[in-house]
Amino acid sequence: MSFQTGEARRPGPRLRPGARAASTAALAVTLGVPSAALGRSAAWPIEPVHADSLARAQNSTTGHVPTDSIPVGAALAKRDAAPAQVSAGAPDPRGAPPARAPVPADMRRSPVLKPGSPAQSAGATEAAALAGRGEGPPAAPPPYRLLRADEDYRYLRDRSRRADFLDVLKDIPLGSRRRVALGFGGETRQRLDWFRNLDWGAGPPRSLSWLQRYMFHAELRAPYFRAFAQVKSALETGRPGGPRAIDRDEFDFHQAFADFDLERPGLRLIVRAGRHELAFGSGRLVSPREGPNVRRSFDGVSVILSVRRVHAHMFVTRPVATLPGVLDDGWERGQWFAGAYLTVPSPLRGGQVDVYALYLDRPDAEYHRGRAHERRLSLGTRWFGAAGRLDYNVEAVLQTGRFGAAPLLAWTVASDTGVRLPLPWDPRLGVRLDVASGDRGPGRPFGTFSALFPKGSYFGEDALIGPANFLDAHPMLTLTPVEPLSLTLDWVFLGRYSLADGIYNVPGEPTIADAGGARFIGHRAGATLEAELGRHVGFVVTVGRFFRGPFLAQAGRTRDVDFLATWLTLKF
C-alpha cells in the first residue's frame, strides 16, 4: 500500500538531472508511491508484441479477463501511468542499449490505466507491460505477466535503468560484450480452500485443504536465440479423498523450450519448440489454468508472428499430462491440439478482433452420452474493446467434427459488457450473459459444447460447474476503495441449455446426469477482495455460497455449498 515518508529533508550533494531521475524512480518503487508524486513522470514507448501477449494486455483494458489469475504489482504500474511517448526504439539484438528512434504511427497506443475488473485481472496494460523499454530509468518495472515467459528484461542491459532491488537477477551478462545474458525468476503461492457441504451435501460436510505452489525459471538470451526452462512443485494437504490431478505434482519441468527470435521495425517472428504454455483471448478455450494448483502446458511447436497491428499464433502440440510424482509428466495419451489464432484491428474504434481455428483430437473423450473418439474443430471470433466508459467483449464459437460414429455440432455465445460510473470508488457495473449447447440425445448430432482447455475457475473460485450445456446471467460490481485494494461483488444464475443433457465440471467431465425436467441448476453469490502490496506481493480473499436449484434437488443434492479461499502470492 502507498505511504509517504515523514523524514525531514536534509541537505546533500546536488544530482545531475539523469541521476536525479534515476533516484526518484528507485525511491518511488521502494516506497510504493507514484513516481509523479516524487516529481517525475513516466514515458513509455509502445512496441509490437506477439498475439497472445497483446490479447491478454487488451483483456485488461476491456474488462473481460481470465478469472483464474490475479496480477501481482499491476497497481504500481497503473498508479505511475502517464501518456505514452513516441520516442525510443526496440532493444538492439546485438546487446547494445536501445537507441532513440521514432515509433511508427500505427504502433502508438495510449495506455488504459485500469483493467475493467481488477479482482479478475490477468495482467497490466500494454503500456505498463513495456514500461521498462523507454529512455532512462522506468517509473516502475513492468508488471509480472500471466505467462512469465512473455517478460522481457533486455532493457536492463543499461544498468542505469534498474529500478527494482531484484533487477540484478533479471539480466546477468556473460562476457564483456554483454551479448549473452542469464535471467531468473520465480513465485510461490500459499492457498487455503474451505468448503462446507461439498458437492451440495453428497460430499463430506467439511473440507479444508492447503495448496502449495512453487515455480522457478531461468532463461538464457543471445542474439536471435533464447532458451527458457521452468520447474514446478505443487503440493496438497487435507483434501478428503486425497489430491486431484490438478492439485499435486511433486516436481517436474513445467516449461522447457528454445526460441528463434527475429526482430525488425514493425516485425517480430518467434519460432518456439519444446514444452510451453498457451493462452488466448479471455481464456475461455485456452488458458494456462492459473486458478488450480498445477498449471497447464503443451509440448510442440509454435510460430508467433507480429506485423505491425496484426498478430498471429500458429501451433501444433500435445497436451501435457499432470502426474503426481517426480519427473513423470508425459503426454495425454493419443491427444493432439493444433490451431491458429489471429488478432487484427477492429472496424470499431478502440477495439480489436480475434479470429481463430482450434482442432482437438481425443481418442477417449467422455460425456453423458458415453465414451468415444472425439475429433473437434472450433471456429470462433471475439470482438472486444472500449468506447468511453463502456467496455465490451463478445465471443462466438461453432464446433464441428465427429464423436465416435456420430456427427458433432455444438456452439457457444458469450458476452461481458460493463460501464464505469463517475462515482467515488470508481465503480464498474458489468454483466456477463453466456450460453453453450448441450446434447439432445441419441439419433441427433452430438451437441455438447467443449471448452477445450479453459481457465480453472470459470464461474468463480469454487469451480463447481463447468462451461458445457449451460446458460447463465452474471451481474457484477467492482469497487476500488483505495488504489491497492479492489472489491468485486457478483451473483451468477445457472441453468441447463438442453434438458436431455446433464452438467459437467470445469475440465469438461460429466458429473450429474439428467435427473428430470428441471432447467434451473442454482445460483451463487460471491465477494472477492484483492490487495496488491507492491510489485512482488498479492493477497486475495474470496467467499461465496451456492444455492441449489430444482435440478440439484431432483438429483438428491440436499444442501447449499459454502466456500472460502484465501491465498498469498510472492513473485520475483
Side-chain angles (χ1 to χ4, degrees), residues 125-141:
T125 64
E126 194 66 20
L130 298 172
R133 297 189 183 184
E135 295 181 61

Side-chain angles (χ1 to χ4, degrees), residues 48-74:
V49 296
H50 50 79
D52 48 353
S53 297
L54 178 68
R56 285 190 304 281
Q58 184 66 28
N59 287 341
S60 299
T61 70
T62 61
H64 193 110
V65 290
T67 61
D68 61 355
S69 57
I70 302 297
V72 178

